[in-house]
Amino acid sequence: MSEAVTNAIVHAYPDEAGPVSMRLRILEGNVLELTVRDRGRGIEDVARAMEPMYSTGGDDRSGMGFTIMESFTDGLRVRSAPGRGTTVTMTKRVRSKALS
C-alpha cells in the first residue's frame, strides 16, 4: 500500500497536494483487498506505466512502483483515466492465523 500511496502523491499531483483515499477489506478466503484512489491527473497508457523502468516522475524516480506492487501481491488491478485519477487495487491471500 505504501508504494501505491507514494505513486499517487508523486504522479497524480505533481504540482500540488490532492486527496488520496485508502480502503482495506477482508474478503472470503482470507484475502486482503487494498485499494488506493486519487483524483489526480490520471495515466494515459496504463500498460506502459506498468512496465519496469517507466516513470513520469523525473530522473530521481526508478519506475519500479507497479513492479514492486506486483511482486508483493497475488493480484494487481490499475484503472485510470486522464484528468480523472487512478485506482489501484491489490489483493493478497493471508494465512488465517495472521488475521486473528
Side-chain angles (χ1 to χ4, degrees), residues 4-86:
V5 171
T6 299
N7 275 0
I9 292 167
V10 170
H11 300 287
Y13 307 108
D15 300 318
E16 61 187 13
V20 177
S21 65
M22 297 169 279
R23 179 180 69 182
L24 169 64
R25 298 189 313 161
I26 301 173
L27 307 176
E28 190 172 319
N30 294 332
V31 174
L32 294 178
E33 180 186 74
L34 303 116
T35 302
V36 176
R37 177 178 296 158
D38 68 65
R39 305 252 184 245
R41 68 179 177 175
I43 301 170
E44 288 206 25
D45 186 343
V46 172
R48 184 167 182 216
M50 293 183 74
E51 292 177 4
M53 306 306 289
Y54 177 82
S55 179
T56 61
D59 292 339
D60 63 331
R61 309 306 302 177
S62 71
M64 296 299 290
F66 288 127
T67 302
I68 291 167
M69 287 181 243
E70 283 181 313
S71 70
F72 285 100
T73 62
D74 296 321
L76 175 66
R77 184 175 71 235
V78 180
R79 294 180 303 153
S80 190
R84 299 191 60 182
T86 302

